[in-house]
Amino acid sequence: MNEWSPAPSADYLPIKDHGLIGDGRACALVGRDGTVSFMCLPRFDAPPLFCSLLDRRRGGSFLLAPDGLRLSRQHYVEDTGVLVTELRADTGIVEVTDAFLLQPGARLEVSTPVGAGELLRHARVTQGSVDLRMALRPRGETRAERQAAGWQLTCPQQSVKLHLTTSRPLPGPECTLHLSQGEDLWVRLRWSEPQAAGSGRSVSQCLDDTVRAWRRWSAFVVADTPRPDLVRRSAITLKLLDYAENGAIVAAATSSLPEHIGGDRNWDYRYVWIRDAAYTVFALRRIGLPDEAGGFLHWALTAAWRDGRPHVLYDVDGRPPHPEVIDAELEGYHRSAPVRWGNAAAEQIQHDVYGELLDCAFQWAATGRPLSADLWYRLSGLAEHARTAWRTPDHGIWEVRTRARPFTYSAAMCQVALDRAARLATRLHLPGNAATWAAEADRLAGRIIHDAWDERAQAFTEHLGATGALDASLLALPLRRVLPADHPRMIATTQATAQRLGAGDGLLYRYLPQESPDGLDQPEGAFLLCSFWLVDNLAGQGRTDEAAELFEKLCSYASPLGLLAEQIDPRDHSFRGNFPQALSHVGLLSSAVVLARAERGMRPELSTHAWFR
């Protein structure tokens, strides 16, 4: 059980003082103060119904908490996405359970709709008595009408109608009621049609069914690793970001949480990046969840061929997101504007997408799944594009907002595309230029070894063919088997990256903006994924004790609920960037598996000896 913490005194809760709930279509952040502070309906990338996380006064929220709050703490119902917040007031304690309800018999392991389209909030007084305050305030103009079963709220800004029902008659969506020990209040906020919500079930049955569905899915997770508690929680968090209808996986639950307070590195991450989702599939497969790989691969290739080429990111339907706009009405988290909806990176060229998709297909086939003729036709087309794409400058993995450059990581992922296509064609006897792809993959790996190496820096650098700065993304080369972790130049690069991009306490910056201009000229936090990549490299180089020590340090940054943000502020270890961030949890999962193999005396998957043709 997590420790009690004082009630928040600031107007904005720390990012880590929130839990995530969801149903595979939409999700919400619930704060330690009993407030639903971020929630988009009816799906991840829809306009927000509540976003007080980005503006306490105008963003909209759903509060359920006692007056006179003094202490609080949160925990998840074990192995589920059901959240419990305990709130202690002067006169008593109330326990609030929050869940997005799932349909009866829901199977999370199958890419089908499972959500009931309903948020359940259950408040129960466990000690003393409290004056329980409820305040349902959607963002924007809202019209509330009393109905026989409760209230209907019409929200034009979100184009949604809400149905509010409660177990006790209430005078309106905002009220206070007195509850004593043993008394409770059920609050149901529904946006689906009644029959879809399974309205014939009792509230307790609905919650029990939801818990049962989560635990059925969680049983598939293989967590025979260091920190199995965080491995399971990371897997559940990634599942909460998985769009159940088609296998799309969003990068994070939120938009515009700042990478630096007072800066404008505030981006909308409620979309599907090919790169992020491919890393997620890689991680989930390694802990016993291969079916997610097939769902994503089908989704990604359908999206990629809508207009003839793969893009960097899509909405959950596989279409371009809305154009990036600034919401001038909202002040931003801790008054750190701007708040953005949409993401202009969708228009960028990033060559890594070829390798991400081919690697996903390779993983899928490696588990015995078939590749149809149509699917292989599309994949082989990607390999052909990769043959020449790497020669063209792009905007790279970090999506710089400057002119395009010849990034080493992008070329490396084109090498991955060629390598995986060659392996697939050879192993599965598929049509295509397998010998040519294999030869070009070898040549491109050689070019990376020589053209990206800076003798003076004793490291691979961000650019091919020119001296560049250090880039922590190159720590991912062994993960993608472009180079083994124990290659002498990879060992040197690992050391140089740890020294020169180190932010202290095991944290790494992605790059240094003053040396690698990104068009923003502002600081940011340390990027958690890069530190997990460092763990993997240390393990792959036989430095297992160092890797395990660093892994434990990184795990210590997780929130009391086991959640991770995109970045950590090196000054005070507070969370920065969007939250929870899929890539950070992917890094934790992958490093846990690498360390588990090392501890059993198995050769790390990233070593030279694990290579095969």
Side-chain angles (χ1 to χ4, degrees), residues 403-600:
R403 63 179 177 81
R405 306 202 290 270
F407 285 102
T408 302
Y409 181 86
S410 298
M413 292 309 297
C414 287
Q415 191 274 346
V416 169
L418 292 164
D419 175 82
R420 303 306 189 267
R423 293 175 190 253
L424 285 168
T426 300
R427 288 184 174 195
L428 303 180
H429 307 291
L430 298 169
N433 302 315
T436 300
W437 292 332
E440 293 197 11
D442 288 343
R443 282 195 293 270
L444 186 47
R447 290 204 61 162
I448 291 167
I449 291 172
H450 297 290
D451 292 1
W453 178 256
D454 186 322
E455 188 66 31
R456 186 170 54 182
Q458 283 295 293
F460 292 123
T461 58
E462 60 184 346
H463 299 152
L464 284 179
T467 301
L470 286 177
D471 180 352
S473 71
L474 302 186
L475 294 176
L477 298 187
L479 278 73
R480 313 320 287 268
R481 300 187 183 183
V482 178
L483 295 173
D486 57 0
H487 187 287
R489 292 191 170 182
M490 201 64 232
I491 293 173
T493 299
T494 300
Q495 182 176 349
T497 302
Q499 290 176 348
R500 299 174 211 169
L501 296 183
D505 293 324
L507 300 171
L508 293 177
Y509 294 111
R510 298 182 290 178
Y511 53 88
L512 301 178
Q514 63 270 29
E515 298 179 9
S516 304
D518 58 10
L520 295 169
D521 192 29
Q522 295 173 359
E524 63 175 358
F527 206 79
L528 265 176
L529 177 64
C530 298
S531 290
F532 285 115
W533 285 342
L534 180 56
V535 170
D536 298 344
N537 277 268
L538 292 173
Q541 293 162 16
R543 299 160 66 182
T544 308
D545 289 344
E546 293 175 67
E549 183 179 354
L550 176 56
F551 179 75
E552 285 298 325
K553 183 65 177 178
L554 298 176
C555 288
S556 74
Y557 295 130
S559 77
L561 290 171
L563 304 181
L564 295 168
E566 178 185 22
Q567 300 182 11
I568 300 288
D569 189 327
R571 298 169 298 179
D572 60 7
H573 298 163
S574 58
F575 282 4
R576 293 289 174 258
N578 284 303
F579 171 83
Q581 175 82 358
L583 280 181
S584 296
H585 288 280
V586 164
L588 188 150
L589 290 179
S590 295
S591 293
V593 171
V594 167
L595 288 172
R597 291 175 63 88
E599 290 173 1
R600 296 188 189 103

Side-chain angles (χ1 to χ4, degrees), residues 163-243:
H163 305 276
L164 176 69
T165 57
T166 60
S167 59
R168 295 169 177 264
L170 300 179
E174 293 190 43
C175 61
T176 300
L177 67 158
H178 186 80
L179 294 177
S180 298
Q181 184 170 334
E183 295 183 317
D184 65 357
L185 173 71
W186 297 88
V187 180
R188 305 175 71 164
L189 185 66
R190 177 170 50 81
W191 51 94
S192 69
E193 293 300 320
Q195 60 270 23
S199 55
R201 296 179 291 164
S202 70
V203 178
S204 59
Q205 284 176 322
C206 291
L207 185 57
D208 288 346
D209 286 345
T210 297
V211 168
R212 190 176 300 111
W214 274 111
R215 287 180 170 164
R216 183 189 301 120
W217 180 84
S218 297
F220 289 100
V221 177
V222 177
D224 187 13
T225 63
R227 295 306 302 267
D229 56 332
L230 290 180
V231 167
R232 286 188 177 278
R233 182 49 51 193
S234 291
I236 292 169
T237 302
L238 293 174
K239 192 63 178 176
L240 285 165
L241 300 175
D242 182 2
Y243 192 62

Side-chain angles (χ1 to χ4, degrees), residues 256-405:
S256 300
L257 289 179
E259 298 173 10
H260 175 73
I261 300 296
D264 61 5
R265 292 180 182 269
N266 309 339
W267 315 114
D268 190 350
Y269 276 11
R270 302 167 305 136
Y271 300 109
V272 189
W273 270 254
I274 295 293
R275 171 182 58 252
D276 294 33
Y279 271 111
T280 302
V281 165
F282 175 64
L284 291 177
R285 182 185 64 81
R286 298 174 91 194
I287 58 168
L289 302 170
D291 289 334
E292 280 73 11
F296 167 73
L297 184 62
H298 175 78
W299 174 88
L301 291 174
T302 300
W305 258 262
R306 276 204 171 99
D307 58 0
R309 70 174 180 89
H311 289 272
V312 177
L313 65 108
Y314 300 87
D315 70 11
V316 294
D317 284 334
R319 301 182 184 279
H322 293 296
E324 184 177 297
V325 297
I326 290 176
D327 191 333
E329 181 179 291
L330 301 179
E331 69 177 13
Y333 177 75
H334 274 294
R335 289 164 288 282
S336 190
V339 170
R340 290 185 171 94
W341 308 114
N343 198 303
E347 301 302 319
Q348 290 187 350
I349 300 297
Q350 296 178 27
H351 299 321
D352 67 302
V353 294
Y354 300 112
E356 309 295 2
L357 290 169
L358 262 300
D359 196 45
C360 270
F362 184 78
Q363 294 174 53
W364 173 249
T367 60
R369 268 62 173 184
L371 294 178
S372 68
D374 179 63
L375 183 57
W376 175 243
Y377 172 78
R378 298 182 181 192
L379 290 167
S380 60
L382 288 176
E384 287 299 313
H385 282 294
R387 291 177 62 180
T388 56
W390 66 270
R391 303 175 186 275
T392 307
D394 72 344
H395 292 91
I397 183 176
W398 305 131
E399 300 173 354
V400 298
R401 298 202 171 193
T402 56
R403 63 179 177 81
R405 306 202 290 270

Side-chain angles (χ1 to χ4, degrees), residues 22-96:
D23 64 358
R25 184 174 174 85
C27 63
L29 293 189
V30 182
R32 191 167 55 80
D33 59 356
T35 301
V36 180
S37 60
F38 196 92
M39 176 171 157
C40 301
L41 293 179
R43 62 187 213 177
F44 298 120
D45 52 6
L49 183 71
F50 308 126
C51 60
S52 61
L53 190 63
L54 301 176
D55 193 307
R56 294 287 288 180
R57 295 172 296 150
R58 294 181 291 266
S61 62
F62 188 1
L63 172 69
L64 193 60
D67 285 341
L69 179 62
R70 294 289 179 262
L71 300 169
S72 64
R73 60 185 179 183
Q74 290 181 305
H75 69 272
Y76 279 105
V77 175
E78 187 176 4
D79 290 339
T80 76
V82 177
L83 182 67
V84 177
T85 306
E86 293 181 90
L87 305 128
R88 181 189 291 269
D90 290 332
T91 57
I93 300 174
V94 62
E95 180 182 88
V96 178

Side-chain angles (χ1 to χ4, degrees), residues 149-172:
W151 294 82
Q152 176 177 284
L153 288 80
T154 303
C155 307
Q157 188 165 338
Q158 296 84 7
S159 300
V160 66
K161 285 189 176 181
L162 306 173
H163 305 276
L164 176 69
T165 57
T166 60
S167 59
R168 295 169 177 264
L170 300 179

